Amino acid sequence: MLPDTVIDNRYKIIKSLGGGGMANVYLAYDQFLKRNVTFKMMRLDMKDNVDLAKRFKREAIAATELVNNNIVQVYDTGEYEGTQYLVMEYVEGTDLKTFIADHFPIPYQQVVDIMLQILNAVEAAHQANIIHRDLKPQNILIDGNGHVKITDFGIAIAKSLQNMTQTNTVIGSVHYISPEQTKGDKASTKSDLYALGVMLYEMLTKQVPYEGETPVEVAMKHATVDMPSVRDFDPRIPQALENVILKSTAKRPQNRYDSAGSMANDLTTSLSPRRSDEERFMPMSETIDETRIIPMAQIQDQLRSGLITDSQQSEAEPERPSVVDKIIEYGKKGYAIKHIARLVDRTQNYVRQILRENGIKYKKRPKWPVALVILGLFVIGAGLFFNYQSNKITVPNVVNMSQDDATNTLQKAGLSVGSVSSTTSKSIAKGNVVRTTPKMGSEAKKGDIINLIVSSGHAKVRFGDYVGSDYSVTVDQLKAQGYTVTKKEIASDDFSSGEIMFQSIDADEKVDPTETNVVFTVSTGAVKITVPDFTNKATQQEVQDWGNQNNIVVNFNTQYDGSTKKDLVISQSIRGGSTITKDMVLLVTISRGPQSDSISSSNDNSSSSSNDSSSSSNNSSTSSSSSNSSSNNSSQSSKDNDHKN
């Protein structure tokens, strides 16, 4: 559709935003309500599919009634030139797929916040009996304020009508498809939860759990391969947070969360230090039921071919008269009620009713045998109860006891100690009991086996290298794991503001997060230097000395100035008292004194030069005379010497 096209005299197309398996998407302007909207029009190659068009319209109307802060609102539906369209809320931002690529690693708390918003939307849809069926990061929009909205409710339902092997349907969603959908089963609310678990995995690892050369290969992995561990990718991810992924992506829908709300409740506390000792989630049997629903057409074909008999087809039909006749016949012969019921495959009450209706008398069982049976059962039950009560033991509390003390306590109570396993604990000392199975306070019988789980001490993990990382992101992640973080700030020319320069703990050191205090030295940016006020106070040399001392480049120029003493600073490009960094240049103007003094000085210099010249001439003459005198003296000296000789 071309820009500037106007639909129904209201929606003006601005530009294309892309397309999907069913619809082309445009940015449009609602000329009535004066706002931008998202305009989705069913692809032209699908508009002749009457069933698909009806489903598109029906589900679109249902989506207009789905109102939630985290769901893209559907404003309007209609038809243009025989093609269905939707008008939806326009969200200015990016999709979750792009957000993950641009912001990874995402702080754990932000991951939780994003997923809680998604779950809020999914829960609202499920309560309205709407299943998305195609949840994936491309359908999750995030605006500039971090607000999340899900799009394509309703359209996803219509998409399910397409063949699973169609490229546009499978390739975009196969990485988030649930195991039951790979078998061709109908999607349910728990299929949506499976997709959310995969998205949570992707937010924590920047990758999807299953890859393959073909969509079919990826789909088969969803059905048969265990979910990879996010803690193998990043051991710092809390086990409780990984458990949310494992439970929501269990192969059997029965092992997943009951609802999006229950998943949200579990996710809310997944970063709590209280859950730091949580064990890895292990679902019940993950064997997938292979039951298939046989289409009606196939059943009819089997009827025609004799594979299904009339008796099988009509097993739920009303009772045939022949059964009643047989009951009457057996009753007249004096058969017992129990015997008749077994012969005609009916209940004893039904047999009695038929006999009463036809006036046939039957023997009633005497009541005293029943009373005796009841009494006997009562006596037996009472005996068993008292025997059970005498053997009943409440499992004692041995938490925080040493293994030996716990063993003695359990044995004194009449219980036996079975297996002893270990687990890390931040609150129980090494070697002491963390818990028992069955747990304390539960009922047991004498001789029952109680298993001990003993503390192996606090869990220690490699601390990691955070130098160069953003402090605000790092501190959130570490605090969520139980670390205590202290911040120390200094200026630096080598690190940007907010970047970690040094850490007090070596990257490879093994530490217990709950007992570790790390000090991060964080850059406040380049070193700030205060510029003095040099005007009327300093000479060029004094300013240059200050620049050399502080590694500041200073440039100078000069000018005549009658108000400033010669050789002192007239002005400076950066005002005194301001701060600068080493990458800045200070420009200083030096006074040459008044211009008139300079001219006078020039004239004086000229006169002096003339006098110097005359003096030089005289000096030359004098020099000549001196030379002559010297010569005469030399001659005289020679004569005197000769005379002496």
Side-chain angles (χ1 to χ4, degrees):
M1 191 177 300
L2 297 176
D4 297 328
T5 301
V6 179
I7 310 298
D8 290 346
N9 297 317
R10 177 173 180 177
Y11 303 111
K12 183 177 181 180
I13 302 299
I14 298 176
K15 64 178 181 179
S16 173
L17 296 177
M22 285 194 62
N24 294 317
V25 187
Y26 304 90
L27 172 63
Y29 183 71
D30 186 341
Q31 298 181 128
F32 286 4
L33 298 178
K34 311 297 182 185
R35 64 185 179 187
N36 287 335
V37 294
T38 299
F39 190 91
K40 290 194 174 186
M41 176 167 282
M42 200 170 178
R43 281 174 30 192
L44 295 178
D45 58 338
M46 295 184 179
K47 74 173 186 177
D48 294 332
N49 188 325
V50 178
D51 292 336
L52 198 59
K54 288 181 178 179
R55 177 68 68 88
F56 183 97
K57 183 175 182 179
R58 183 167 67 250
E59 299 301 339
I61 293 173
T64 61
E65 301 174 359
L66 188 56
V67 179
N68 183 274
N69 288 334
N70 298 117
I71 295 177
V72 173
Q73 182 65 44
V74 178
Y75 295 140
D76 191 14
T77 64
E79 184 177 310
Y80 176 71
E81 294 183 350
T83 304
Q84 301 291 331
Y85 69 76
L86 286 178
V87 181
M88 309 173 70
E89 174 185 4
Y90 175 67
V91 179
E92 188 170 0
T94 186
D95 62 58
L96 182 57
K97 193 79 172 180
T98 305
F99 183 88
I100 294 171
D102 292 345
H103 295 83
F104 190 84
I106 307 171
Y108 302 150
Q109 187 59 59
Q110 188 176 8
V111 169
V112 171
D113 291 342
I114 291 173
M115 185 53 67
L116 286 175
Q117 293 185 67
I118 297 172
L119 286 165
N120 177 54
V122 173
E123 175 71 1
H126 289 177
Q127 289 182 354
N129 295 320
I130 294 179
I131 303 169
H132 194 289
R133 288 173 168 81
D134 194 27
L135 285 169
K136 54 188 175 183
Q138 294 90 330
N139 287 334
I140 311 297
L141 305 180
I142 304 178
D143 65 18
N145 297 319
H147 190 71
V148 176
K149 286 181 178 286
I150 303 182
T151 187
D152 278 355
F153 273 106
I155 295 179
I157 298 177
K159 286 182 67 175
S160 66
L161 293 177
Q162 301 179 44
N163 191 304
M164 282 280 292
T165 60
Q166 287 182 316
T167 301
N168 288 335
T169 301
V170 174
I171 290 179
S173 308
V174 72
H175 290 105
Y176 311 92
I177 192 170
S178 64
E180 60 270 19
Q181 288 175 283
T182 65
K183 303 188 307 172
D185 291 350
K186 290 183 178 180
S188 66
T189 57
K190 295 196 175 186
S191 304
D192 281 353
L193 299 187
Y194 183 91
L196 295 182
V198 176
M199 280 194 281
L200 183 54
Y201 180 101
E202 187 172 357
M203 281 193 280
L204 291 170
T205 65
K206 199 183 178 181
Q207 60 193 26
V208 291
Y210 304 117
E211 293 283 9
E213 295 183 0
T214 65
V216 173
E217 182 181 348
V218 177
M220 288 300 297
K221 288 182 178 180
H222 278 286
T224 60
V225 178
D226 290 341
M227 178 62 58
S229 172
V230 291
R231 285 168 58 81
D232 289 343
F233 178 87
D234 181 0
R236 294 172 296 181
I237 295 174
Q239 183 61 63
L241 182 55
E242 182 186 44
N243 284 346
V244 176
I245 297 173
L246 297 176
K247 187 169 183 178
S248 58
T249 59
K251 300 299 183 190
R252 293 173 61 86
Q254 301 95 306
N255 291 334
R256 298 174 203 157
Y257 291 100
D258 292 332
S259 66
S262 60
M263 182 175 174
N265 291 336
D266 194 19
L267 182 64
T268 300
T269 61
S270 61
L271 300 181
S272 171
R274 293 187 296 104
R275 299 178 62 182
S276 61
D277 292 330
E278 188 164 301
E279 296 181 355
R280 180 181 172 88
F281 171 78
M282 297 297 293
M284 304 293 287
S285 173
E286 285 286 77
T287 303
I288 300 177
D289 187 4
E290 293 296 335
T291 302
R292 290 290 187 274
I293 297 175
I294 302 175
M296 181 57 68
Q298 182 177 342
I299 294 176
Q300 292 172 344
D301 290 341
Q302 291 176 343
L303 279 170
R304 285 191 292 269
S305 63
L307 294 178
I308 300 178
T309 65
D310 290 340
S311 61
Q312 290 174 309
Q313 182 186 15
S314 60
E315 63 179 5
E317 292 179 355
E319 190 66 63
R320 291 186 177 185
S322 58
V323 174
V324 175
D325 291 342
K326 289 180 179 179
I327 293 173
I328 294 172
E329 179 184 352
Y330 294 142
K332 289 179 178 179
K333 292 180 178 180
Y335 285 21
I337 298 294
K338 185 177 181 180
H339 189 193
I340 297 174
R342 186 168 60 252
L343 290 173
V344 298
D345 193 22
R346 295 293 183 271
T347 65
Q348 295 182 35
N349 286 337
Y350 179 78
V351 172
R352 291 190 188 95
Q353 179 181 347
I354 297 299
L355 295 177
R356 279 198 301 268
E357 290 175 353
N358 289 274
I360 300 173
K361 295 181 179 181
Y362 55 88
K363 295 180 180 179
K364 295 182 179 180
R365 290 174 294 181
K367 295 182 178 180
W368 63 266
V370 176
L372 287 177
V373 171
I374 293 174
L375 179 60
L377 291 175
F378 175 78
V379 171
I380 294 172
L384 292 174
F385 174 77
F386 288 120
N387 182 60
Y388 172 76
Q389 288 293 105
S390 63
N391 289 320
K392 186 174 68 173
I393 299 171
T394 300
V395 177
N397 181 9
V398 295
V399 172
N400 218 2
M401 289 185 183
S402 67
Q403 183 177 334
D404 290 340
D405 290 344
T407 300
N408 292 334
T409 301
L410 292 171
Q411 289 176 345
K412 288 179 180 179
L415 302 168
S416 300
V417 175
S419 64
V420 178
S421 57
S422 63
T423 185
T424 58
S425 173
K426 68 175 183 178
S427 58
I428 306 297
K430 184 177 181 180
N432 286 1
V433 175
V434 176
R435 59 182 176 275
T436 62
T437 56
K439 64 182 180 179
M440 68 171 187
S442 59
E443 290 185 354
K445 296 183 297 181
K446 282 185 179 181
D448 278 359
I449 294 176
I450 307 299
N451 300 316
L452 299 179
I453 295 91
V454 178
S455 172
S456 60
H458 295 177
K460 292 190 176 182
V461 296
R462 179 181 179 272
F463 181 70
D465 184 5
Y466 298 96
V467 174
S469 300
D470 183 85
Y471 173 79
S472 61
V473 174
T474 302
V475 70
D476 287 342
Q477 292 184 354
L478 294 183
K479 284 185 175 180
Q481 298 170 54
Y483 288 94
T484 301
V485 182
T486 302
K487 182 181 183 183
K488 179 182 177 182
E489 293 183 320
I490 62 172
S492 171
D493 295 324
D494 300 321
F495 290 84
S496 301
S497 178
E499 284 187 345
I500 296 174
M501 301 169 56
F502 309 104
Q503 58 189 49
S504 61
I505 300 175
D506 185 76
D508 293 323
E509 185 176 346
K510 297 286 187 177
V511 296
D512 173 12
T514 61
E515 294 184 351
T516 302
N517 179 17
V518 57
V519 179
F520 285 126
T521 302
V522 182
S523 171
T524 58
V527 177
K528 301 289 176 110
I529 301 169
T530 302
V531 180
D533 185 1
F534 294 116
T535 56
N536 287 310
K537 299 175 184 177
T539 64
Q540 178 173 340
Q541 186 59 50
E542 290 172 333
V543 175
Q544 187 61 61
D545 289 344
W546 174 86
N548 294 339
Q549 182 181 356
N550 293 281
N551 293 320
I552 299 296
V553 176
V554 184
N555 289 339
F556 298 90
N557 61 17
T558 62
Q559 70 178 44
Y560 296 111
D561 189 335
S563 61
T564 305
K565 186 177 179 180
K566 184 180 179 181
D567 296 329
L568 294 184
V569 175
I570 299 174
S571 62
Q572 56 194 73
S573 60
I574 299 175
R575 186 174 57 189
S578 302
T579 58
I580 61 174
T581 57
K582 293 179 182 179
D583 59 345
M584 300 175 68
V585 177
L586 176 65
L587 178 63
V588 175
T589 303
I590 303 296
S591 172
R592 297 176 61 183
Q595 189 170 6
S596 59
D597 290 348
S598 177
I599 296 173
S600 175
S601 174
S602 176
N603 291 334
D604 290 345
N605 291 337
S606 176
S607 175
S608 174
S609 175
S610 176
N611 291 335
D612 290 343
S613 176
S614 176
S615 175
S616 175
S617 176
N618 291 334
N619 290 338
S620 175
S621 177
T622 301
S623 175
S624 176
S625 297
S626 298
S627 176
N628 291 334
S629 176
S630 175
S631 176
N632 290 334
N633 290 338
S634 176
S635 175
Q636 183 61 40
S637 176
S638 176
K639 289 179 180 180
D640 289 344
N641 289 334
D642 291 340
H643 177 71
K644 288 179 180 180
N645 292 331

